Amino acid sequence: MQIVGELINASRKKIREYIKEKNPEAIAAVAKDQHEAGADYIDVNAGIFVGKEAEYVKWLVQTVQEHVDTPCCIDSPDPKVIEEAAKVHKGIPLVNSISLESERYEKLLSVIKGTDMKVIALCMSDEGMPHTKDARMKIADKLVNGLVSNNVAIDNIYLDPLVQPIGSGDTLGMEFLNTIESIHEEFKGIHTICGLSNISFGIPKRQFANQTFMIMAITKGLNAAIMNPLDKKMMASVIAAEMLAGKDQYCEKYMNAYRDGLFEH
Ligand code: THG
């Protein structure tokens, strides 16, 4: 599992304050904690700051990369913000995200075309967010064909089928999970990613539902997640489920996690 640490997001009150006061030490500490907990990418999102988003996301990328040796996941719906932030990013970022929405598609494509950037592709179009596997797969097909025909390597594409709250419909969990399975059948070598916590919106004991859903998604082949790497129970669930799914040769990662005390929580 590739892990994208989600904590540097201005929708969180503390982070919003750190960004407003441009406090590099506080941001660096949140980046460092996530890196040490096993994050492969550090997500940076300043989406709530209308008009200042580009300035803040650039500052976040620079601040994170001055303190940890980890690439960023540049999280913005605005292609201009991503373009600006990618210019100051060292190494290869994960761009979050492109979609089939006409406002985003062409502009974002021109940012990543001819580069080796990795890109999250949301299963979303101008018609809105799809609810079924079939509707998601239609969008996924168009996205993957469009990206590949523009020379984006399949290994650089992370499809996000978009998790929707189970409270808004009994079928939404399985439709999402079955999409993950179909994507891996249809597009060999591609990655799947999602922000899992949306599944539990509006219900109590959210972490419990999130952890269980993570395990279910791993059985379908999910291989990247935007999540809180400081959630030790979630990290332990990921490591155990991946071992049981045959993705941990000689149970090495599980044994290391055991030795590090991860299962003591
Ligand atoms: N797909 C993609 N990108 C995404 C998402 C996705 N980026 C944003 C989001 N979804 C994932 N990131 C976060 C970051 C923080 C929190 C949740 C998702 C978070 N939530 C608090 C909680 O759940 O308790 C509430 C916020 C608060 O602290 O007040 O922290 O799906 N491609």
Side-chain angles (χ1 to χ4, degrees):
M1 181 73 56
Q2 288 188 50
I3 291 168
V4 179
E6 71 182 11
L7 294 178
I8 303 183
N9 189 313
S11 70
R12 304 179 66 228
K13 202 161 164 267
K14 275 204 164 155
I15 299 294
R16 195 178 315 154
E17 283 162 18
Y18 298 157
I19 295 173
K20 259 199 208 150
E21 66 197 27
K22 288 224 172 141
N23 181 341
E25 290 82 18
I27 292 294
V30 182
K32 218 162 155 245
D33 287 348
Q34 294 185 93
H35 172 66
E36 282 165 8
D40 299 287
Y41 291 91
I42 306 292
D43 191 273
V44 289
N45 181 315
I48 61 147
F49 292 107
V50 181
K52 286 196 136 186
E53 189 187 358
E55 178 199 331
Y56 285 156
V57 173
K58 274 200 303 199
W59 177 77
L60 286 172
V61 166
Q62 286 168 323
T63 304
V64 167
Q65 293 202 307
E66 266 165 36
H67 295 89
V68 295
D69 192 14
T70 315
C72 291
C73 174
I74 304 171
D75 190 351
S76 170
D78 184 344
K80 195 82 202 142
V81 170
I82 291 177
E83 183 176 15
E84 296 273 307
K87 278 185 197 150
V88 300
H89 187 278
K90 293 180 285 185
I92 297 170
L94 175 57
V95 163
N96 187 11
S97 50
I98 195 168
S99 75
L100 219 52
E101 295 159 284
S102 42
E103 269 299 295
R104 281 203 214 186
Y105 183 77
E106 292 294 339
K107 286 183 195 151
L108 222 292
L109 193 57
S110 76
V111 174
I112 60 171
K113 209 175 158 170
T115 74
D116 205 25
M117 288 184 211
K118 298 187 177 285
V119 64
I120 297 178
L122 303 183
C123 292
M124 189 146 93
S125 70
D126 287 330
E127 277 129 68
M129 223 188 250
H131 300 295
T132 63
K133 179 187 96 169
D134 290 348
R136 285 178 167 107
M137 288 304 290
K138 279 198 185 119
I139 298 173
D141 253 316
K142 288 185 188 156
L143 278 167
V144 175
N145 288 336
L147 290 167
V148 169
S149 66
N150 279 283
N151 296 320
V152 177
I154 199 100
D155 181 47
N156 286 343
I157 305 173
Y158 291 67
L159 275 176
D160 183 343
L162 289 169
V163 173
Q164 288 157 16
I166 194 67
S168 356
D170 293 345
T171 57
L172 291 172
M174 286 313 298
E175 292 287 346
F176 169 86
L177 294 168
N178 291 335
T179 309
I180 296 285
E181 185 169 45
S182 291
I183 288 170
H184 288 294
E185 280 165 9
E186 189 131 340
F187 312 108
K188 296 289 172 212
I190 209 162
H191 304 270
T192 48
I193 191 164
C194 67
L196 276 171
S197 57
N198 250 355
I199 195 67
S200 61
F201 189 75
I203 60 170
K205 287 278 174 198
R206 290 189 66 177
Q207 298 91 322
F208 185 67
N210 294 346
Q211 285 153 19
T212 307
F213 199 54
M214 171 65 93
I215 295 168
M216 295 167 80
I218 288 171
T219 70
K220 299 291 198 183
L222 181 76
N223 50 26
I226 306 169
M227 56 177 265
N228 175 5
L230 308 186
D231 177 345
K232 294 219 159 85
K233 283 196 176 138
M234 177 63 97
M235 292 298 273
S237 295
V238 168
I239 284 166
E242 290 215 297
M243 173 183 71
L244 298 169
K247 295 199 167 161
D248 183 11
Q249 208 180 15
Y250 310 121
C251 308
E252 192 184 344
K253 287 183 184 153
Y254 185 91
M255 293 308 295
N256 287 339
Y258 166 71
R259 284 189 205 102
D260 291 346
L262 186 66
F263 302 134
E264 304 307 314
H265 296 273

